[in-house]
Amino acid sequence: MRLTMSLYLSKIQSLRIVAALEDCAHQLDLLGHSLSVQISREQGSASTQEKDRLVQLKADCQFIGHHITKLCFELEDTQSFESIPQAMEEDEAQKAARKKREDEKMRKEREQALLIQQQEIEDKKDQIHKLYLLLNELEGERSKLQKKKKSKATILSTQMAKESYRKAQLMDQLELLQKQIEEEARFHEETVNFLQTQYEEFQQRLHKWKQQTKKMQQEKQSKLDNLGCKRTLNTDKLMEMRRMFKEMERVVLEDKKEQELNLQQEEEAKAATTIQAYWRGTMVRRGLGPFKKVEEKKGKKKGKKKKK
């Protein structure tokens, strides 16, 4: 199962995290350089295991530093850290592959040792078979010698003594080889039992690792689902706030337009009143329009009074 995580940060948060990660990367570089110096100083077969551990530690530092650099670029470009789960999955995959290679190497070494032991047992069996054949040949020769019944008893007794001595030697060798075969068979059985036990332990560890990996994946998926739900809720709230903001902005713009229209109407009314007052004053001063008739009527009335 592949886990994906997408959390977007602000530019300032991203820069702060990048600064902290760059400091960590610098510390890892210093640690890797120190490990390189220490590895070069390790010599002799007694320090092989320590050297292997230092080499593995240096590789882990390089692996972590590589992913920190990758994460810094990602934070600077997209303000997110989607590469973290990928790095975790790659690390788990590399650990599992390395463990599998070690187990496979150990299994092959055990199998090779077992094959060598089986070949040695077969060689011992061939030697015993040859000794049996030789013993049969000697028995045949002795039978022939006995059948011939040579006249010289001393020669016959001497040959028989030699044959008996050789037979005793062959019997001793045969007994020794049988003991060696029994010892090899016992060792072979112990090796098979040990390999079977190791295999069962490896199977139990593998099952346990699978369960732990599955549990970790479920926990991460649960966290990811929670983050997704929170992000969905935040997105809905943000959309609702944007809608309310647009509605408020529309109301404010409409109110502003209405105020500007009212202000314009007031200014127009004020200007019209000012123009009307000015025009009426001009007509009164110059005696235009209806104001002229009033003055003429007044002048005629005054003329009639004078004539009377």
Side-chain angles (χ1 to χ4, degrees):
M1 180 183 295
R2 183 181 179 83
L3 298 176
T4 58
M5 182 182 295
S6 178
L7 181 60
Y8 293 94
L9 305 173
S10 63
K11 188 68 176 178
I12 296 176
Q13 290 175 336
S14 299
L15 293 176
R16 290 176 178 174
I17 295 175
V18 167
L21 291 174
E22 288 178 349
D23 183 64
C24 292
H26 179 65
Q27 296 295 329
L28 286 172
D29 290 338
L30 294 177
L31 179 59
H33 179 70
S34 177
L35 290 172
S36 299
V37 175
Q38 191 172 356
I39 289 170
S40 62
R41 292 176 180 176
E42 294 291 338
Q43 294 179 356
S45 59
S47 62
T48 302
Q49 186 175 3
E50 178 68 19
K51 188 174 182 180
D52 293 339
R53 189 180 68 82
L54 294 174
V55 171
Q56 181 61 39
L57 184 59
K58 181 181 177 182
D60 293 338
C61 291
Q62 293 176 351
F63 176 79
I64 296 172
H66 170 72
H67 284 286
I68 287 177
T69 304
K70 185 177 179 181
L71 181 58
C72 290
F73 285 121
E74 184 178 5
L75 286 170
E76 290 177 353
D77 294 337
T78 63
Q79 286 79 49
S80 64
F81 45 91
E82 296 180 354
S83 62
I84 290 180
Q86 298 176 359
M88 293 175 64
E89 290 180 0
E90 290 178 3
D91 184 41
E92 291 178 358
Q94 289 182 359
K95 288 181 179 179
R98 184 166 59 251
K99 185 62 177 176
K100 185 177 180 182
R101 288 195 299 269
E102 292 176 356
D103 295 342
E104 186 66 20
K105 182 179 178 181
M106 184 180 296
R107 185 183 64 81
K108 288 182 178 180
E109 290 177 353
R110 292 288 184 181
E111 290 179 353
Q112 187 67 25
L114 187 61
L115 291 174
I116 293 173
Q117 291 174 2
Q118 291 178 348
Q119 185 63 37
E120 290 177 353
I121 291 173
E122 294 295 330
D123 294 338
K124 295 291 179 65
K125 287 181 179 180
D126 292 338
Q127 292 179 6
I128 292 173
H129 181 68
K130 290 178 181 179
L131 289 174
Y132 273 117
L133 293 176
L134 181 60
L135 184 60
N136 291 330
E137 290 179 358
L138 291 175
E139 288 290 341
E141 290 178 358
R142 190 180 67 173
S143 299
K144 291 178 180 180
L145 289 174
Q146 289 177 352
K147 289 178 181 180
K148 289 180 180 179
K149 295 180 180 181
K150 293 183 177 180
S151 59
K152 294 180 181 180
T154 55
I155 297 173
L156 180 60
S157 60
T158 303
Q159 290 180 348
M160 290 179 65
K162 291 181 179 180
E163 294 296 334
S164 299
Y165 177 74
R166 290 179 62 185
K167 182 179 179 180
Q169 287 183 337
L170 290 174
M171 293 298 295
D172 292 337
Q173 292 180 1
L174 179 62
E175 185 178 358
L176 179 61
L177 288 174
Q178 287 178 346
K179 290 181 179 180
Q180 291 179 353
I181 289 174
E182 291 175 356
E183 185 68 22
E184 293 292 339
R186 184 183 61 80
F187 181 74
H188 174 72
E189 184 178 0
E190 292 178 354
T191 304
V192 171
N193 293 332
F194 175 76
L195 290 174
Q196 184 66 28
T197 304
Q198 290 291 321
Y199 177 76
E200 292 175 356
E201 291 179 357
F202 290 151
Q203 289 294 327
Q204 292 176 359
R205 290 180 184 175
L206 180 61
H207 181 67
K208 184 177 179 181
W209 290 336
K210 287 182 179 179
Q211 289 181 344
Q212 291 178 354
T213 304
K214 184 177 180 180
K215 183 178 179 181
M216 290 175 61
Q217 289 177 347
Q218 290 176 353
E219 291 176 355
K220 291 178 181 179
Q221 186 64 37
S222 178
K223 291 180 181 179
L224 182 62
D225 294 338
N226 292 332
L227 288 174
C229 293
K230 290 180 180 180
R231 183 179 178 186
T232 303
L233 292 175
N234 292 333
T235 303
D236 294 339
K237 290 181 180 180
L238 180 61
M239 293 178 66
E240 181 65 21
M241 291 177 67
R242 286 179 177 175
R243 187 187 64 78
M244 292 175 63
F245 177 76
K246 289 182 179 179
E247 184 67 20
M248 293 172 66
E249 185 179 15
R250 184 183 63 78
V251 173
V252 169
L253 290 175
E254 290 179 355
D255 185 64
K256 184 177 180 181
K257 290 181 180 179
E258 186 176 355
Q259 289 180 0
E260 290 178 353
L261 182 61
N262 293 333
L263 181 62
Q264 184 178 0
Q265 290 177 353
E266 290 177 359
E267 290 179 353
E268 289 178 355
K270 185 177 180 181
T273 303
T274 303
I275 293 171
Q276 287 178 358
Y278 174 77
W279 179 249
R280 182 172 291 180
T282 302
M283 291 178 69
V284 171
R285 288 194 301 271
R286 295 186 180 182
L288 300 175
F291 301 101
K292 180 178 180 181
K293 294 180 181 181
V294 173
E295 291 179 355
E296 287 178 354
K297 289 178 180 180
K298 289 182 178 180
K300 288 180 180 181
K301 289 181 179 180
K302 287 180 180 181
K304 289 180 180 181
K305 288 181 178 180
K306 288 180 180 181
K307 287 181 179 180
K308 288 180 180 181

